Amino acid sequence: MLGYPHEAKDVTKDILFEKFPTYEVLGAWSRGEDAEWPPFDDDEDEEILQRPRLRFDIGQTVVCRVGPDPVTGWAPGKVVQLWYREPSWPANSWAPYKIELDDGRNIFAPGDVDQIIRQA
């Protein structure tokens, strides 16, 4: 489902082509393949370069807070992406890490602090 901040009468073909996934992305999705959408803007690349250095790298083993108990509320996993974001998040909203837990779940760490994510 897509939404545009325009009245239907004002939506042009150019607006649709600018905002709608490309044929390549739609084709990949129809084949069950991953395809990034929306694409990152050049401005976002510049912003990433200005972000603080993170403590962990992709592939590094970590433990993440997944529950309220201070002892059992942790789960092991590995960092699979730096500066993760969901398409539905507001502009310029990022999580420092996306983590694949050992049990197969994918989560994100909303902050780079020991109370959320720490070295295994």
Side-chain angles (χ1 to χ4, degrees):
M1 177 176 277
L2 299 170
Y4 297 106
H6 303 284
E7 290 193 32
K9 66 181 179 57
D10 297 327
V11 176
T12 65
K13 190 174 183 178
D14 289 338
I15 289 171
L16 289 176
F17 277 117
E18 178 184 325
K19 301 292 184 185
F20 200 75
T22 64
Y23 288 114
E24 292 80 16
V25 170
L26 292 173
W29 289 346
S30 72
R31 293 186 299 274
E33 300 169 359
D34 282 338
E36 188 175 292
W37 188 261
F40 290 113
D41 294 335
D42 290 339
D43 292 342
E44 290 176 355
D45 291 339
E46 179 74 23
E47 179 189 332
I48 287 171
L49 294 174
Q50 297 174 4
R51 292 191 185 134
R53 182 157 163 67
L54 298 175
R55 297 180 298 154
F56 306 111
D57 291 317
I58 293 174
Q60 197 164 354
T61 303
V62 294
V63 289
C64 299
R65 190 70 180 256
V66 294
D69 189 276
V71 176
T72 62
W74 294 87
K78 69 177 178 180
V79 175
V80 295
Q81 185 178 341
L82 303 180
W83 297 115
Y84 174 75
R85 86 180 299 282
E86 292 278 336
S88 61
W89 291 355
N92 300 320
S93 294
W94 300 85
Y97 304 104
K98 180 178 180 183
I99 302 100
E100 181 180 312
L101 298 178
D102 289 355
D103 66 10
R105 291 181 291 166
N106 283 289
I107 64 169
F108 66 88
D112 188 14
V113 294
D114 278 341
Q115 293 86 348
I116 297 171
I117 183 171
R118 59 187 184 204
Q119 191 170 9

